[in-house]
């Protein structure tokens, strides 16, 4: 008994919807859909050259990830079908792997043992050595720490141990003697070993101050001040995750009220013997980050979309730390290279998922950033591109709204002549859209959002298919009603139903 009452409840709404879709051949509804979805698309990636209105921010919060997820998945597909092929190999990764741990001992190592590794790498003449290792606390195996744990009866032994240099002092000496950079992790919250500052090379800003545009943090997990003072540079290792995937990497970040570099830029600064990193910015944000004669075009937030190479094509950059310590590695794998030292042993690795869907060590991502900069293979999504996409969507959408409902147009005649012509035409246009955007990605490195174009224009076209479906539904309903009336008449007269 509930179904008839529900039908009576929904019938008025269905009538209103039908009349609205039929009004002016569906053009008003199509216009509303076009403008609404275009605004929603803009709110999900508001161009940085103008201030975002408050209502746009509220719209983005009310409907989060409306177009962003589709856009990101599309850009991932671009890369999976056309990954970057490394042209050079400027980076060597010295990995503290399973073989090294089995030979040298479990992690964390005493700092003097790490100093041996730094010395062995430095002897092979690299351009720079970056350590993806945090050391915020004193080494408890240092002689002075061991002396403090000895009983009073071993006073002579304790005095002898205290006379020895600490492991931090040994490592500091190695860091000072080699072109070394210490990595640090940026954090949004305070912890026992965090601080609010980092010893870093100066950053020279050309143009507007970009501090409010870049990704900012209040705290950092860095190495001990003694080690920071000995190293030739400090850098942040943080990456941006979007739904667990690394797609773009910041080249500069904010720590409190100052700008600090990422590890790749600091490695290039040290390798080129530059005194500072240059940041070029305007009112819309960061335009480029440079060092020496290299300028990297960035997004307004000081980050870059990283064009990933498959891990299968970069495995030859890895060298086991065990081979370095034994002196059995080919010196040419280190000489004049940018060397990154990181953990890859089981249970120690900071694994990340790339846009290619591969799970790689975090140090690999830093290497790929350096490699991308050296090769000059940048992916870009400049602010003007978003405006160009929006203009295309509006222009093509208005063209659809004006032309498609015309009953005597060539398109209308074609669709009436070919029953499946509308589906064929829609698929062909959207396939052409995707192929054209992919062509631009391959040849120009531009990330064009074919997903938003597809979604919005498909919704606009749907506004004109809906009235046709409603007419079919009405005809079917009318035929069914007539059939029911004939059956009722036949029942009352006792006649057999006709054909």
């Amino acid at each position: 008994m509930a179904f008839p009452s529900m039908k009576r409840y929904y019938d008025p709404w269905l009538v209103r919807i039908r009349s609205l879709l039929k009004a002016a051949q569906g053009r008003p509804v199509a216009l509303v859909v076009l403008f609404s979805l275009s605004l929603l698309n803009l709110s999900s990636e508001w161009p940085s050259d103008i201030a975002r209105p408050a209502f746009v921010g509220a719209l983005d919060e009310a409907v989060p990830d409306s177009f962003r997820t589709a856009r990101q998945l599309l850009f991932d597909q671009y890369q999976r079908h056309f990954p970057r092929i490394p042209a050079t190999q400027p980076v060597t990764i010295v990995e503290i792997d399973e073989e090294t741990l089995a030979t040298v001992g479990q992690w964390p190592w005493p700092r003097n043992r790490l100093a041996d590794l730094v010395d062995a790498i430095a002897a092979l003449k690299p351009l720079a050595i970056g350590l993806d290792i945090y050391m915020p606390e004193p080494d408890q195996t240092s002689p002075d720490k061991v002396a403090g744990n000895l009983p009073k009866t071993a006073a002579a032994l304790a005095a002898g141990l205290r006379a020895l240099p600490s492991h931090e002092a040994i490592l500091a000496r190695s860091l000072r003697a080699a072109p070394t950079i210490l990595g640090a992790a940026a954090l949004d919250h305070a912890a026992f070993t965090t601080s609010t500052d980092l010893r870093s090379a100066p950053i020279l800003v050309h143009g507007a101050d970009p501090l409010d545009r870049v990704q900012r943090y209040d705290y950092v997990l860095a190495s001990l001040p003694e080690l920071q003072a000995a190293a030739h540079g400090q850098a942040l290792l943080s990456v941006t995750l979007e739904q667990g995937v690394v797609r773009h990497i910041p080249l500069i970040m904010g720590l409190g009220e100052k700008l600090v570099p990422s590890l790749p830029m600091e490695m290039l600064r040290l390798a080129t013997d530059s005194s500072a990193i240059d940041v070029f910015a305007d009112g819309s944000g960061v335009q480029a980050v440079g060092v020496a004669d290299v300028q990297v075009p960035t997004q307004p937030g000081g980050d870059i979309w990283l064009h990933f190479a498959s891990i299968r094509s970069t495995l030859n950059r890895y060298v086991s730390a065990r081979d370095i310590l034994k002196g059995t590695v080919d010196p040419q794998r280190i000489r004049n290279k940018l060397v990154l030292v990181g953990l890859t042993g089981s249970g120690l690795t900071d694994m990340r998922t790339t846009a290619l869907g591969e799970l790689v060590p975090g140090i690999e991502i830093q290497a790929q950033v350096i490699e991308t900069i050296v090769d000059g293979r940048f992916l870009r999504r400049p602010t003007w591109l978003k405006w160009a996409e929006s203009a295309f969507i509006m222009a093509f959408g208005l063209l659809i709204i004006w032309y498609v409902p015309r009953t005597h147009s060539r398109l209308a005649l074609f669709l009436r002549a070919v029953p499946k012509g509308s589906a064929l035409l829609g698929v062909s246009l959207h396939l052409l859209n995707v192929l054209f955007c992919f062509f631009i990605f391959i040849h120009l490195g531009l990330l064009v959002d074919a997903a938003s174009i597809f979604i919005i224009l498909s919704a606009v076209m749907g506004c004109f298919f809906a009235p046709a479906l409603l007419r079919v539904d009405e005809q079917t309903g009318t035929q069914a009603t007539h059939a029911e009336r004939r059956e009722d008449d036949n029942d009352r007269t006792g006649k057999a139903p006709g054909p």
Side-chain angles (χ1 to χ4, degrees):
M1 296 300 293
F3 294 104
S5 61
M6 290 177 65
K7 187 176 185 299
R8 285 194 299 271
Y9 176 78
Y10 285 113
D11 274 349
W13 287 100
L14 293 174
V15 170
R16 292 190 185 97
I17 293 172
R18 286 173 178 172
S19 61
L20 187 62
L21 289 172
K22 290 178 181 178
Q25 297 177 301
R27 284 190 173 104
V29 172
L31 280 170
V32 171
V33 168
L34 175 62
F35 281 96
S36 300
L37 291 182
S38 296
L39 180 60
L40 195 60
N41 180 32
L42 272 175
S43 70
S44 69
E45 191 186 29
W46 188 259
S48 60
D49 53 350
I50 59 175
R52 188 167 76 163
F55 77 92
V56 173
L59 181 63
D60 188 35
E61 292 179 2
V63 191
D65 295 334
S66 51
F67 285 86
R68 191 176 296 116
T69 299
R71 183 185 306 121
Q72 291 170 345
L73 293 176
L74 174 72
F75 293 163
D76 290 351
Q77 289 303 315
Y78 285 169
Q79 296 207 43
R80 293 181 187 188
H81 286 87
F82 191 74
R84 181 176 56 85
I85 305 299
T88 59
Q89 189 176 311
V91 180
T92 295
I93 294 178
V94 174
E95 56 174 339
I96 300 174
D97 54 4
E98 294 287 349
E99 291 76 11
T100 304
L101 296 176
T103 303
V104 179
Q106 66 182 18
W107 188 264
W109 290 347
R111 303 274 161 77
N112 62 329
R113 193 169 298 167
L114 185 59
D116 292 339
L117 178 60
V118 171
D119 292 340
I121 296 171
L124 300 177
K125 305 299 182 184
L127 293 176
I129 305 172
L131 282 78
D132 183 8
I133 299 169
Y134 316 134
M135 294 171 281
E137 297 176 329
D139 184 352
Q140 296 301 312
T141 66
S142 196
D144 57 325
K145 299 296 182 184
V146 174
N149 289 324
L150 293 177
K152 294 180 180 180
T153 55
L157 177 58
L161 288 173
R162 289 190 177 96
L164 297 174
S166 69
H167 288 174
E168 277 76 28
I170 295 173
L171 179 57
R173 186 165 56 244
S174 298
L175 294 175
R176 191 175 294 109
T180 53
I181 298 166
L182 291 176
L187 299 174
D188 290 319
H189 58 276
F192 178 68
T193 53
T194 57
S195 59
T196 58
D197 198 9
L198 185 71
R199 297 171 64 104
S200 59
I203 292 181
L204 301 181
V205 177
H206 305 270
D209 185 359
L211 189 60
D212 291 335
R213 297 284 186 175
V214 302
Q215 192 169 355
R216 295 179 67 176
Y217 299 92
D218 294 322
Y219 303 95
V220 63
L221 181 65
S223 296
L224 294 167
E226 179 182 1
L227 301 178
Q228 288 191 50
H232 294 261
Q234 317 289 323
L236 294 183
L237 294 162
S238 300
V239 299
T240 302
L241 292 178
E242 296 171 317
Q243 297 176 335
V245 178
V246 178
R247 295 184 175 93
H248 45 93
I249 309 294
L251 297 186
I252 57 168
M253 286 160 274
L255 180 60
E257 297 299 320
K258 78 173 186 177
L259 294 172
V260 290
S262 65
L263 182 60
M265 294 308 302
E266 184 67 357
M267 293 279 287
L268 292 171
R269 183 196 67 80
L270 189 58
T272 57
D273 197 26
S274 300
S275 59
I277 293 171
D278 296 302
V279 173
F280 302 88
D282 57 22
S284 63
V286 181
Q287 300 301 310
V289 177
V291 60
D293 59 348
V294 176
Q295 277 196 24
V296 184
T298 67
Q299 298 301 116
D303 58 306
I304 61 170
W305 288 85
L306 186 57
H307 194 178
F308 283 96
S310 173
I311 186 68
R312 294 186 296 274
S313 67
T314 65
L315 288 176
N316 58 348
R317 74 160 107 250
Y318 287 82
V319 173
S320 175
R322 178 190 61 177
D323 297 335
I324 295 286
L325 291 169
K326 286 184 175 181
T328 58
V329 70
D330 180 1
Q332 296 305 315
R333 301 194 67 180
I334 304 296
R335 186 179 302 275
N336 294 327
K337 298 284 188 179
L338 298 168
V339 176
L340 295 173
V341 180
L343 302 164
T344 64
S346 178
L348 302 176
T349 312
D350 177 25
M351 302 297 290
R352 302 291 187 181
T353 301
T354 70
L356 301 182
E358 297 177 335
L359 195 63
V360 304
I363 197 70
E364 168 68 19
I365 294 174
Q366 304 295 335
Q368 293 220 20
V369 175
I370 297 173
E371 196 172 67
T372 297
I373 295 173
V374 172
D375 289 350
R377 293 282 301 277
F378 307 118
L379 294 182
R380 295 180 297 133
R381 184 160 172 76
T383 302
W384 63 261
L385 184 57
K386 187 64 180 181
W387 288 120
E389 291 168 358
S390 300
F392 174 81
I393 291 171
M394 292 300 299
F396 205 87
L398 291 173
L399 178 63
I400 291 172
I401 293 171
W402 171 75
Y403 188 74
V404 169
R406 293 163 60 93
T407 56
H408 299 293
S409 66
R410 292 182 180 179
L411 177 61
L413 295 175
F414 169 75
L415 295 180
R416 283 198 293 268
V418 182
K420 296 182 179 180
S422 59
L424 179 63
L425 180 63
V427 170
S428 299
L429 288 176
H430 289 311
L431 182 60
L432 184 63
N433 167 42
V434 172
L435 290 177
F436 181 69
C437 294
F438 186 55
F439 177 85
I440 292 176
F441 169 80
I442 292 174
H443 293 281
L444 300 178
L446 292 176
L447 294 166
V448 184
D449 185 8
S452 296
I453 297 173
F454 168 80
I455 294 170
I456 296 174
L457 295 184
S458 295
V460 172
M461 285 294 295
C463 294
F464 301 113
F465 291 143
L469 295 174
L470 290 174
R471 283 195 295 272
V472 172
D473 180 61
E474 286 179 351
Q475 292 172 1
T476 304
T478 301
Q479 293 172 359
T481 301
H482 289 165
E484 290 177 0
R485 288 177 179 174
R486 284 197 301 271
E487 289 180 2
D488 291 341
D489 292 341
N490 291 335
D491 289 340
R492 284 194 298 270
T493 60
K495 294 181 180 181

